[in-house]
Amino acid sequence: MELLSKERADMKKHIKKVLNPKEKPFDGLRARTIVVLTHRTDGAQTFMKLTDTQLLYVSRFSAWKYCNLMHMAMRFGTPQILEMLQSLKYQQKIYDLVNYWALQTGAIDVCIVKYLKLLYAKSRFHCNYAFFNGALEADITKEWDVNLCFQLCTDIFDYLENLLSLQHAIFAGLTLQQLSVATPQTQCRLQPLINIAAECSILYDQAVDALAVVCAKLPIVDVIGLRNRFHAIYQHLHGFYCALQQVKIILKMEYIPELSSAVPEFYGNSDANSAVNRQPTAPSVWELEQP
């Protein structure tokens, strides 16, 4: 079903509000309405056209909120958005935005560059692994080919490291005083952590599943590099989730992702088996009341 004229006007209005250049968080309900409308027949094209605004080069906070909105649309919008972002036209757009904001020197500018690079990496990941939907759901089983799982582990680790690099930059750009008070400015900068945390949680679980397949089929000497990367990511995730505990009131997050008490070892360790069967603990972004 195509967008009705009123729905098209509503999407335009909501996008204008969401990309407001002021340093304050966008209304989560508006963002979700936009994403739902992308599922109409011409919703993706309309969404991409309306978000292609000069404000992205004029206002750093419009660019910041654009990244967060696009991240939501890639996760929960129509699959056409992912397909469009894989085209040369939109890859060039992201490249141009990265080059522009890389010349700026503010803390939020560093975050914008990292976020844009994350969106590009996400589009490439889905291009290479089309069986993952936008929300990164896929059913990895022990019957999967070991070579596929080995490469998948590597690419998931790359993805997780991009997410963790972005969250680190977000926290590093704020003082302890800013992190202790729920001001609109702090909420604006922290708001993307909701999507970041959700993706970290499900990607960690996917990595556990894929690495379990690899470890079941290859000797330990062949996977030592993967296991070392996994251990490092586990430690960084633990730090991220601890940091989220400190700002969950500001973000209005009722749930914070959790990790197993010990790093899964995969070789004859019962904790590995329990970790493989564990479901992601992060709630869907739709279940959270955005600030």
Side-chain angles (χ1 to χ4, degrees):
M1 181 177 178
E2 293 188 1
L3 283 168
L4 302 175
S5 58
K6 181 181 183 303
E7 291 173 328
R8 194 181 304 273
D10 286 344
M11 182 185 280
K12 182 177 181 179
K13 177 184 69 175
H14 291 319
I15 288 175
K16 184 177 179 180
K17 291 282 188 181
V18 165
L19 300 185
N20 186 298
K22 294 182 180 178
E23 189 178 1
K24 63 179 184 179
F26 59 63
D27 184 339
L29 180 59
R30 287 189 187 277
R32 288 191 289 272
T33 300
I34 293 166
V35 172
V36 168
L37 288 174
T38 67
H39 288 273
R40 301 288 187 157
T41 301
D42 57 343
Q45 292 83 353
T46 303
F47 170 79
M48 298 298 280
K49 181 179 179 180
L50 291 175
T51 53
D52 189 9
T53 166
Q54 192 62 27
L55 268 178
L56 304 183
Y57 294 92
V58 175
S59 166
R60 51 179 42 89
F61 293 107
S62 291
W64 182 238
K65 287 182 271 192
Y66 164 83
C67 291
N68 195 16
L69 177 62
M70 187 61 71
H71 198 178
M72 289 180 65
M74 293 172 78
R75 295 186 67 216
F76 299 110
T78 173
Q80 283 183 287
I81 291 175
L82 283 171
E83 294 172 6
M84 293 178 73
L85 285 171
Q86 291 162 8
S87 69
L88 289 177
K89 173 184 176 181
Y90 287 102
Q91 288 184 9
Q92 183 64 46
K93 175 184 175 180
I94 292 177
Y95 179 80
D96 291 342
L97 284 169
V98 166
N99 285 341
Y100 177 81
W101 288 108
L103 296 175
Q104 315 307 313
T105 58
I108 191 65
D109 304 322
V110 173
C111 294
I112 291 169
V113 170
K114 287 182 177 292
Y115 212 158
L116 288 166
K117 288 181 177 179
L118 172 66
L119 297 180
Y120 174 81
K122 180 175 177 63
S123 71
R124 298 310 305 160
F125 181 87
H126 288 285
C127 181
N128 294 331
Y129 300 101
F131 49 83
F132 278 88
N133 64 16
L136 296 169
E137 296 165 332
D139 186 18
I140 300 174
T141 69
K142 62 183 180 181
E143 288 78 22
W144 278 34
D145 176 73
V146 65
N147 294 316
L148 171 62
C149 285
F150 195 102
Q151 185 60 49
L152 179 59
C153 283
T154 300
D155 291 335
I156 288 178
F157 292 165
D158 289 345
Y159 196 147
L160 278 166
E161 287 166 355
N162 281 327
L163 288 164
L164 289 167
S165 177
L166 175 55
Q167 66 82 24
H168 181 268
I170 292 172
F171 280 112
L174 294 167
T175 66
L176 290 175
Q177 182 178 4
Q178 288 173 308
L179 289 170
S180 64
V181 183
T183 63
Q185 293 77 16
T186 299
Q187 290 174 323
C188 178
R189 296 185 184 224
L190 293 179
Q191 194 173 33
L193 292 175
I194 295 173
N195 278 312
I196 294 170
E199 289 211 327
C200 280
S201 179
I202 192 166
L203 279 173
Y204 172 81
D205 290 326
Q206 300 287 17
V208 168
D209 289 346
L211 192 52
V213 173
V214 173
C215 291
K217 298 182 178 182
L218 294 178
I220 190 170
V221 67
D222 291 340
V223 297
I224 189 67
L226 285 181
R227 292 175 73 240
N228 287 343
R229 282 189 76 185
F230 179 81
H231 282 219
I233 287 170
Y234 176 96
Q235 297 301 330
H236 288 304
L237 278 174
H238 183 269
F240 174 34
Y241 295 163
C242 287
L244 278 179
Q245 289 286 353
Q246 308 304 312
V247 296
K248 67 178 183 179
I249 294 177
I250 295 176
L251 289 172
K252 300 181 182 178
M253 292 180 71
E254 295 183 8
Y255 305 100
I256 302 297
E258 297 178 355
L259 295 172
S260 54
S261 57
V263 185
E265 293 298 334
F266 301 102
Y267 285 94
N269 189 314
S270 60
D271 287 344
N273 295 328
S274 62
V276 170
N277 294 324
R278 182 171 50 78
Q279 296 299 312
T281 56
S284 165
V285 69
W286 304 102
E287 300 171 8
L288 295 169
E289 178 184 355
Q290 302 241 2

PDB file of all heavy atoms in Angstrom, residues 162-196:
ATOM      1  N   ASN A 162      33.278  -1.774  16.177  1.00  0.00           N
ATOM      2  CA  ASN A 162      32.765  -0.473  15.734  1.00  0.00           C
ATOM      3  C   ASN A 162      31.748   0.087  16.720  1.00  0.00           C
ATOM      4  O   ASN A 162      31.772   1.280  17.046  1.00  0.00           O
ATOM      5  CB  ASN A 162      32.134  -0.601  14.345  1.00  0.00           C
ATOM      6  CG  ASN A 162      33.154  -0.642  13.231  1.00  0.00           C
ATOM      7  OD1 ASN A 162      34.206  -0.025  13.312  1.00  0.00           O
ATOM      8  ND2 ASN A 162      32.856  -1.383  12.179  1.00  0.00           N
ATOM      9  N   LEU A 163      30.844  -0.759  17.179  1.00  0.00           N
ATOM     10  CA  LEU A 163      29.852  -0.332  18.168  1.00  0.00           C
ATOM     11  C   LEU A 163      30.523   0.123  19.458  1.00  0.00           C
ATOM     12  O   LEU A 163      30.161   1.162  20.040  1.00  0.00           O
ATOM     13  CB  LEU A 163      28.882  -1.475  18.469  1.00  0.00           C
ATOM     14  CG  LEU A 163      27.873  -1.839  17.374  1.00  0.00           C
ATOM     15  CD1 LEU A 163      27.265  -3.211  17.655  1.00  0.00           C
ATOM     16  CD2 LEU A 163      26.765  -0.790  17.282  1.00  0.00           C
ATOM     17  N   LEU A 164      31.489  -0.644  19.916  1.00  0.00           N
ATOM     18  CA  LEU A 164      32.169  -0.329  21.175  1.00  0.00           C
ATOM     19  C   LEU A 164      33.027   0.922  21.052  1.00  0.00           C
ATOM     20  O   LEU A 164      33.139   1.708  21.998  1.00  0.00           O
ATOM     21  CB  LEU A 164      33.016  -1.525  21.614  1.00  0.00           C
ATOM     22  CG  LEU A 164      32.204  -2.729  22.094  1.00  0.00           C
ATOM     23  CD1 LEU A 164      33.078  -3.975  22.203  1.00  0.00           C
ATOM     24  CD2 LEU A 164      31.538  -2.438  23.443  1.00  0.00           C
ATOM     25  N   SER A 165      33.606   1.139  19.878  1.00  0.00           N
ATOM     26  CA  SER A 165      34.373   2.362  19.651  1.00  0.00           C
ATOM     27  C   SER A 165      33.468   3.584  19.702  1.00  0.00           C
ATOM     28  O   SER A 165      33.834   4.628  20.279  1.00  0.00           O
ATOM     29  CB  SER A 165      35.076   2.283  18.293  1.00  0.00           C
ATOM     30  OG  SER A 165      35.763   3.487  18.007  1.00  0.00           O
ATOM     31  N   LEU A 166      32.278   3.465  19.137  1.00  0.00           N
ATOM     32  CA  LEU A 166      31.326   4.579  19.149  1.00  0.00           C
ATOM     33  C   LEU A 166      30.854   4.881  20.565  1.00  0.00           C
ATOM     34  O   LEU A 166      30.844   6.041  20.994  1.00  0.00           O
ATOM     35  CB  LEU A 166      30.136   4.261  18.244  1.00  0.00           C
ATOM     36  CG  LEU A 166      28.993   5.285  18.258  1.00  0.00           C
ATOM     37  CD1 LEU A 166      29.480   6.684  17.923  1.00  0.00           C
ATOM     38  CD2 LEU A 166      27.883   4.852  17.300  1.00  0.00           C
ATOM     39  N   GLN A 167      30.462   3.851  21.322  1.00  0.00           N
ATOM     40  CA  GLN A 167      29.981   4.123  22.673  1.00  0.00           C
ATOM     41  C   GLN A 167      31.086   4.729  23.532  1.00  0.00           C
ATOM     42  O   GLN A 167      30.824   5.596  24.376  1.00  0.00           O
ATOM     43  CB  GLN A 167      29.398   2.857  23.316  1.00  0.00           C
ATOM     44  CG  GLN A 167      30.369   1.726  23.600  1.00  0.00           C
ATOM     45  CD  GLN A 167      31.155   1.878  24.887  1.00  0.00           C
ATOM     46  OE1 GLN A 167      30.708   2.566  25.798  1.00  0.00           O
ATOM     47  NE2 GLN A 167      32.309   1.239  24.956  1.00  0.00           N
ATOM     48  N   HIS A 168      32.328   4.288  23.310  1.00  0.00           N
ATOM     49  CA  HIS A 168      33.449   4.852  24.071  1.00  0.00           C
ATOM     50  C   HIS A 168      33.610   6.341  23.765  1.00  0.00           C
ATOM     51  O   HIS A 168      33.839   7.160  24.678  1.00  0.00           O
ATOM     52  CB  HIS A 168      34.739   4.101  23.743  1.00  0.00           C
ATOM     53  CG  HIS A 168      35.939   4.611  24.500  1.00  0.00           C
ATOM     54  ND1 HIS A 168      36.776   5.581  23.998  1.00  0.00           N
ATOM     55  CD2 HIS A 168      36.416   4.292  25.738  1.00  0.00           C
ATOM     56  CE1 HIS A 168      37.729   5.842  24.869  1.00  0.00           C
ATOM     57  NE2 HIS A 168      37.534   5.077  25.933  1.00  0.00           N
ATOM     58  N   ALA A 169      33.473   6.707  22.498  1.00  0.00           N
ATOM     59  CA  ALA A 169      33.595   8.113  22.110  1.00  0.00           C
ATOM     60  C   ALA A 169      32.467   8.947  22.716  1.00  0.00           C
ATOM     61  O   ALA A 169      32.683  10.099  23.116  1.00  0.00           O
ATOM     62  CB  ALA A 169      33.592   8.236  20.584  1.00  0.00           C
ATOM     63  N   ILE A 170      31.266   8.368  22.777  1.00  0.00           N
ATOM     64  CA  ILE A 170      30.132   9.090  23.362  1.00  0.00           C
ATOM     65  C   ILE A 170      30.397   9.392  24.830  1.00  0.00           C
ATOM     66  O   ILE A 170      30.244  10.537  25.295  1.00  0.00           O
ATOM     67  CB  ILE A 170      28.836   8.273  23.209  1.00  0.00           C
ATOM     68  CG1 ILE A 170      28.426   8.192  21.738  1.00  0.00           C
ATOM     69  CG2 ILE A 170      27.707   8.901  24.028  1.00  0.00           C
ATOM     70  CD1 ILE A 170      27.267   7.246  21.465  1.00  0.00           C
ATOM     71  N   PHE A 171      30.808   8.397  25.584  1.00  0.00           N
ATOM     72  CA  PHE A 171      31.079   8.612  27.010  1.00  0.00           C
ATOM     73  C   PHE A 171      32.279   9.537  27.207  1.00  0.00           C
ATOM     74  O   PHE A 171      32.284  10.377  28.108  1.00  0.00           O
ATOM     75  CB  PHE A 171      31.318   7.275  27.713  1.00  0.00           C
ATOM     76  CG  PHE A 171      30.064   6.535  28.058  1.00  0.00           C
ATOM     77  CD1 PHE A 171      29.743   5.342  27.413  1.00  0.00           C
ATOM     78  CD2 PHE A 171      29.187   7.011  29.020  1.00  0.00           C
ATOM     79  CE1 PHE A 171      28.574   4.651  27.726  1.00  0.00           C
ATOM     80  CE2 PHE A 171      28.022   6.335  29.342  1.00  0.00           C
ATOM     81  CZ  PHE A 171      27.717   5.156  28.702  1.00  0.00           C
ATOM     82  N   ALA A 172      33.296   9.392  26.356  1.00  0.00           N
ATOM     83  CA  ALA A 172      34.498  10.213  26.501  1.00  0.00           C
ATOM     84  C   ALA A 172      34.220  11.690  26.229  1.00  0.00           C
ATOM     85  O   ALA A 172      34.947  12.563  26.727  1.00  0.00           O
ATOM     86  CB  ALA A 172      35.596   9.710  25.557  1.00  0.00           C
ATOM     87  N   GLY A 173      33.185  11.971  25.468  1.00  0.00           N
ATOM     88  CA  GLY A 173      32.849  13.352  25.132  1.00  0.00           C
ATOM     89  C   GLY A 173      32.020  14.066  26.184  1.00  0.00           C
ATOM     90  O   GLY A 173      31.660  15.229  25.989  1.00  0.00           O
ATOM     91  N   LEU A 174      31.725  13.391  27.280  1.00  0.00           N
ATOM     92  CA  LEU A 174      30.913  13.974  28.345  1.00  0.00           C
ATOM     93  C   LEU A 174      31.680  13.954  29.661  1.00  0.00           C
ATOM     94  O   LEU A 174      32.421  13.019  29.947  1.00  0.00           O
ATOM     95  CB  LEU A 174      29.600  13.196  28.502  1.00  0.00           C
ATOM     96  CG  LEU A 174      28.631  13.274  27.325  1.00  0.00           C
ATOM     97  CD1 LEU A 174      27.543  12.219  27.454  1.00  0.00           C
ATOM     98  CD2 LEU A 174      28.001  14.668  27.227  1.00  0.00           C
ATOM     99  N   THR A 175      31.488  14.991  30.456  1.00  0.00           N
ATOM    100  CA  THR A 175      32.117  15.047  31.769  1.00  0.00           C
ATOM    101  C   THR A 175      31.289  14.248  32.776  1.00  0.00           C
ATOM    102  O   THR A 175      30.122  13.919  32.529  1.00  0.00           O
ATOM    103  CB  THR A 175      32.236  16.494  32.261  1.00  0.00           C
ATOM    104  OG1 THR A 175      30.902  17.017  32.471  1.00  0.00           O
ATOM    105  CG2 THR A 175      32.958  17.357  31.232  1.00  0.00           C
ATOM    106  N   LEU A 176      31.891  13.958  33.924  1.00  0.00           N
ATOM    107  CA  LEU A 176      31.160  13.247  34.982  1.00  0.00           C
ATOM    108  C   LEU A 176      29.955  14.045  35.433  1.00  0.00           C
ATOM    109  O   LEU A 176      28.896  13.479  35.741  1.00  0.00           O
ATOM    110  CB  LEU A 176      32.094  12.965  36.162  1.00  0.00           C
ATOM    111  CG  LEU A 176      33.195  11.920  35.921  1.00  0.00           C
ATOM    112  CD1 LEU A 176      34.110  11.830  37.143  1.00  0.00           C
ATOM    113  CD2 LEU A 176      32.573  10.561  35.620  1.00  0.00           C
ATOM    114  N   GLN A 177      30.084  15.351  35.448  1.00  0.00           N
ATOM    115  CA  GLN A 177      28.959  16.196  35.849  1.00  0.00           C
ATOM    116  C   GLN A 177      27.809  16.080  34.849  1.00  0.00           C
ATOM    117  O   GLN A 177      26.643  15.982  35.232  1.00  0.00           O
ATOM    118  CB  GLN A 177      29.400  17.651  35.969  1.00  0.00           C
ATOM    119  CG  GLN A 177      28.285  18.591  36.432  1.00  0.00           C
ATOM    120  CD  GLN A 177      28.755  20.023  36.595  1.00  0.00           C
ATOM    121  OE1 GLN A 177      29.909  20.339  36.301  1.00  0.00           O
ATOM    122  NE2 GLN A 177      27.877  20.895  37.062  1.00  0.00           N
ATOM    123  N   GLN A 178      28.150  16.080  33.556  1.00  0.00           N
ATOM    124  CA  GLN A 178      27.106  15.941  32.541  1.00  0.00           C
ATOM    125  C   GLN A 178      26.416  14.580  32.629  1.00  0.00           C
ATOM    126  O   GLN A 178      25.209  14.467  32.406  1.00  0.00           O
ATOM    127  CB  GLN A 178      27.714  16.125  31.148  1.00  0.00           C
ATOM    128  CG  GLN A 178      28.115  17.557  30.821  1.00  0.00           C
ATOM    129  CD  GLN A 178      28.857  17.650  29.502  1.00  0.00           C
ATOM    130  OE1 GLN A 178      29.831  16.933  29.273  1.00  0.00           O
ATOM    131  NE2 GLN A 178      28.409  18.543  28.625  1.00  0.00           N
ATOM    132  N   LEU A 179      27.197  13.557  32.950  1.00  0.00           N
ATOM    133  CA  LEU A 179      26.641  12.207  33.026  1.00  0.00           C
ATOM    134  C   LEU A 179      25.792  11.983  34.268  1.00  0.00           C
ATOM    135  O   LEU A 179      25.095  10.971  34.363  1.00  0.00           O
ATOM    136  CB  LEU A 179      27.779  11.174  33.001  1.00  0.00           C
ATOM    137  CG  LEU A 179      28.511  11.019  31.661  1.00  0.00           C
ATOM    138  CD1 LEU A 179      29.747  10.161  31.826  1.00  0.00           C
ATOM    139  CD2 LEU A 179      27.581  10.420  30.616  1.00  0.00           C
ATOM    140  N   SER A 180      25.823  12.920  35.185  1.00  0.00           N
ATOM    141  CA  SER A 180      25.066  12.749  36.430  1.00  0.00           C
ATOM    142  C   SER A 180      23.743  13.491  36.422  1.00  0.00           C
ATOM    143  O   SER A 180      22.943  13.352  37.352  1.00  0.00           O
ATOM    144  CB  SER A 180      25.911  13.224  37.622  1.00  0.00           C
ATOM    145  OG  SER A 180      26.181  14.616  37.519  1.00  0.00           O
ATOM    146  N   VAL A 181      23.489  14.276  35.365  1.00  0.00           N
ATOM    147  CA  VAL A 181      22.271  15.090  35.310  1.00  0.00           C
ATOM    148  C   VAL A 181      21.555  14.850  33.986  1.00  0.00           C
ATOM    149  O   VAL A 181      22.183  14.849  32.927  1.00  0.00           O
ATOM    150  CB  VAL A 181      22.602  16.594  35.458  1.00  0.00           C
ATOM    151  CG1 VAL A 181      21.308  17.407  35.483  1.00  0.00           C
ATOM    152  CG2 VAL A 181      23.421  16.852  36.704  1.00  0.00           C
ATOM    153  N   ALA A 182      20.252  14.668  34.058  1.00  0.00           N
ATOM    154  CA  ALA A 182      19.458  14.373  32.858  1.00  0.00           C
ATOM    155  C   ALA A 182      19.049  15.653  32.142  1.00  0.00           C
ATOM    156  O   ALA A 182      17.868  16.001  32.047  1.00  0.00           O
ATOM    157  CB  ALA A 182      18.233  13.551  33.221  1.00  0.00           C
ATOM    158  N   THR A 183      20.032  16.380  31.612  1.00  0.00           N
ATOM    159  CA  THR A 183      19.723  17.577  30.839  1.00  0.00           C
ATOM    160  C   THR A 183      19.404  17.169  29.392  1.00  0.00           C
ATOM    161  O   THR A 183      19.816  16.098  28.932  1.00  0.00           O
ATOM    162  CB  THR A 183      20.926  18.542  30.829  1.00  0.00           C
ATOM    163  OG1 THR A 183      22.025  17.895  30.162  1.00  0.00           O
ATOM    164  CG2 THR A 183      21.341  18.901  32.244  1.00  0.00           C
ATOM    165  N   PRO A 184      18.697  18.016  28.646  1.00  0.00           N
ATOM    166  CA  PRO A 184      18.429  17.705  27.234  1.00  0.00           C
ATOM    167  C   PRO A 184      19.714  17.496  26.437  1.00  0.00           C
ATOM    168  O   PRO A 184      19.755  16.651  25.533  1.00  0.00           O
ATOM    169  CB  PRO A 184      17.669  18.939  26.741  1.00  0.00           C
ATOM    170  CG  PRO A 184      17.014  19.492  27.965  1.00  0.00           C
ATOM    171  CD  PRO A 184      17.993  19.247  29.073  1.00  0.00           C
ATOM    172  N   GLN A 185      20.764  18.246  26.783  1.00  0.00           N
ATOM    173  CA  GLN A 185      22.029  18.124  26.065  1.00  0.00           C
ATOM    174  C   GLN A 185      22.646  16.738  26.273  1.00  0.00           C
ATOM    175  O   GLN A 185      23.106  16.086  25.328  1.00  0.00           O
ATOM    176  CB  GLN A 185      23.004  19.213  26.520  1.00  0.00           C
ATOM    177  CG  GLN A 185      22.600  20.635  26.153  1.00  0.00           C
ATOM    178  CD  GLN A 185      21.506  21.207  27.056  1.00  0.00           C
ATOM    179  OE1 GLN A 185      21.236  20.678  28.139  1.00  0.00           O
ATOM    180  NE2 GLN A 185      20.883  22.287  26.601  1.00  0.00           N
ATOM    181  N   THR A 186      22.638  16.285  27.527  1.00  0.00           N
ATOM    182  CA  THR A 186      23.196  14.963  27.822  1.00  0.00           C
ATOM    183  C   THR A 186      22.347  13.866  27.194  1.00  0.00           C
ATOM    184  O   THR A 186      22.864  12.898  26.621  1.00  0.00           O
ATOM    185  CB  THR A 186      23.286  14.752  29.345  1.00  0.00           C
ATOM    186  OG1 THR A 186      24.144  15.746  29.906  1.00  0.00           O
ATOM    187  CG2 THR A 186      23.842  13.375  29.672  1.00  0.00           C
ATOM    188  N   GLN A 187      21.034  13.990  27.278  1.00  0.00           N
ATOM    189  CA  GLN A 187      20.133  12.999  26.686  1.00  0.00           C
ATOM    190  C   GLN A 187      20.333  12.904  25.184  1.00  0.00           C
ATOM    191  O   GLN A 187      20.305  11.804  24.611  1.00  0.00           O
ATOM    192  CB  GLN A 187      18.688  13.355  27.012  1.00  0.00           C
ATOM    193  CG  GLN A 187      18.318  13.174  28.475  1.00  0.00           C
ATOM    194  CD  GLN A 187      16.919  13.681  28.773  1.00  0.00           C
ATOM    195  OE1 GLN A 187      16.484  14.691  28.223  1.00  0.00           O
ATOM    196  NE2 GLN A 187      16.215  12.985  29.647  1.00  0.00           N
ATOM    197  N   CYS A 188      20.542  14.041  24.539  1.00  0.00           N
ATOM    198  CA  CYS A 188      20.755  14.062  23.087  1.00  0.00           C
ATOM    199  C   CYS A 188      21.989  13.245  22.717  1.00  0.00           C
ATOM    200  O   CYS A 188      21.961  12.449  21.776  1.00  0.00           O
ATOM    201  CB  CYS A 188      20.907  15.506  22.620  1.00  0.00           C
ATOM    202  SG  CYS A 188      21.224  15.691  20.851  1.00  0.00           S
ATOM    203  N   ARG A 189      23.056  13.422  23.468  1.00  0.00           N
ATOM    204  CA  ARG A 189      24.312  12.735  23.139  1.00  0.00           C
ATOM    205  C   ARG A 189      24.260  11.248  23.493  1.00  0.00           C
ATOM    206  O   ARG A 189      24.896  10.426  22.840  1.00  0.00           O
ATOM    207  CB  ARG A 189      25.474  13.422  23.855  1.00  0.00           C
ATOM    208  CG  ARG A 189      25.684  14.857  23.374  1.00  0.00           C
ATOM    209  CD  ARG A 189      26.904  15.483  24.001  1.00  0.00           C
ATOM    210  NE  ARG A 189      27.035  16.874  23.598  1.00  0.00           N
ATOM    211  CZ  ARG A 189      28.192  17.449  23.227  1.00  0.00           C
ATOM    212  NH1 ARG A 189      29.294  16.724  23.170  1.00  0.00           N
ATOM    213  NH2 ARG A 189      28.236  18.714  22.899  1.00  0.00           N
ATOM    214  N   LEU A 190      23.504  10.906  24.529  1.00  0.00           N
ATOM    215  CA  LEU A 190      23.447   9.518  24.972  1.00  0.00           C
ATOM    216  C   LEU A 190      22.384   8.690  24.252  1.00  0.00           C
ATOM    217  O   LEU A 190      22.441   7.457  24.269  1.00  0.00           O
ATOM    218  CB  LEU A 190      23.178   9.456  26.481  1.00  0.00           C
ATOM    219  CG  LEU A 190      24.262   9.975  27.425  1.00  0.00           C
ATOM    220  CD1 LEU A 190      23.794   9.846  28.876  1.00  0.00           C
ATOM    221  CD2 LEU A 190      25.570   9.217  27.239  1.00  0.00           C
ATOM    222  N   GLN A 191      21.424   9.317  23.633  1.00  0.00           N
ATOM    223  CA  GLN A 191      20.269   8.612  23.070  1.00  0.00           C
ATOM    224  C   GLN A 191      20.627   7.439  22.148  1.00  0.00           C
ATOM    225  O   GLN A 191      19.994   6.374  22.221  1.00  0.00           O
ATOM    226  CB  GLN A 191      19.363   9.604  22.322  1.00  0.00           C
ATOM    227  CG  GLN A 191      17.987   9.044  21.999  1.00  0.00           C
ATOM    228  CD  GLN A 191      17.068  10.115  21.420  1.00  0.00           C
ATOM    229  OE1 GLN A 191      17.512  11.028  20.713  1.00  0.00           O
ATOM    230  NE2 GLN A 191      15.785  10.026  21.721  1.00  0.00           N
ATOM    231  N   PRO A 192      21.652   7.539  21.298  1.00  0.00           N
ATOM    232  CA  PRO A 192      21.991   6.398  20.433  1.00  0.00           C
ATOM    233  C   PRO A 192      22.440   5.153  21.190  1.00  0.00           C
ATOM    234  O   PRO A 192      22.465   4.060  20.607  1.00  0.00           O
ATOM    235  CB  PRO A 192      23.127   6.948  19.561  1.00  0.00           C
ATOM    236  CG  PRO A 192      22.914   8.428  19.534  1.00  0.00           C
ATOM    237  CD  PRO A 192      22.411   8.756  20.902  1.00  0.00           C
ATOM    238  N   LEU A 193      22.794   5.290  22.462  1.00  0.00           N
ATOM    239  CA  LEU A 193      23.253   4.123  23.220  1.00  0.00           C
ATOM    240  C   LEU A 193      22.176   3.045  23.315  1.00  0.00           C
ATOM    241  O   LEU A 193      22.493   1.871  23.516  1.00  0.00           O
ATOM    242  CB  LEU A 193      23.690   4.539  24.627  1.00  0.00           C
ATOM    243  CG  LEU A 193      24.953   5.408  24.706  1.00  0.00           C
ATOM    244  CD1 LEU A 193      25.203   5.847  26.145  1.00  0.00           C
ATOM    245  CD2 LEU A 193      26.161   4.669  24.152  1.00  0.00           C
ATOM    246  N   ILE A 194      20.918   3.419  23.167  1.00  0.00           N
ATOM    247  CA  ILE A 194      19.835   2.433  23.221  1.00  0.00           C
ATOM    248  C   ILE A 194      19.966   1.449  22.061  1.00  0.00           C
ATOM    249  O   ILE A 194      19.936   0.223  22.252  1.00  0.00           O
ATOM    250  CB  ILE A 194      18.466   3.136  23.194  1.00  0.00           C
ATOM    251  CG1 ILE A 194      18.281   3.978  24.460  1.00  0.00           C
ATOM    252  CG2 ILE A 194      17.336   2.109  23.084  1.00  0.00           C
ATOM    253  CD1 ILE A 194      17.035   4.847  24.459  1.00  0.00           C
ATOM    254  N   ASN A 195      20.144   1.968  20.851  1.00  0.00           N
ATOM    255  CA  ASN A 195      20.339   1.096  19.694  1.00  0.00           C
ATOM    256  C   ASN A 195      21.672   0.364  19.758  1.00  0.00           C
ATOM    257  O   ASN A 195      21.765  -0.811  19.388  1.00  0.00           O
ATOM    258  CB  ASN A 195      20.272   1.925  18.400  1.00  0.00           C
ATOM    259  CG  ASN A 195      18.847   2.187  17.950  1.00  0.00           C
ATOM    260  OD1 ASN A 195      18.026   1.282  17.887  1.00  0.00           O
ATOM    261  ND2 ASN A 195      18.554   3.428  17.644  1.00  0.00           N
ATOM    262  N   ILE A 196      22.702   1.053  20.218  1.00  0.00           N
ATOM    263  CA  ILE A 196      24.029   0.446  20.301  1.00  0.00           C
ATOM    264  C   ILE A 196      24.012  -0.737  21.257  1.00  0.00           C
ATOM    265  O   ILE A 196      24.542  -1.819  20.948  1.00  0.00           O
ATOM    266  CB  ILE A 196      25.073   1.494  20.743  1.00  0.00           C
ATOM    267  CG1 ILE A 196      25.228   2.563  19.662  1.00  0.00           C
ATOM    268  CG2 ILE A 196      26.409   0.834  21.042  1.00  0.00           C
ATOM    269  CD1 ILE A 196      26.044   3.773  20.092  1.00  0.00           C
TER     270      ILE A 196
END
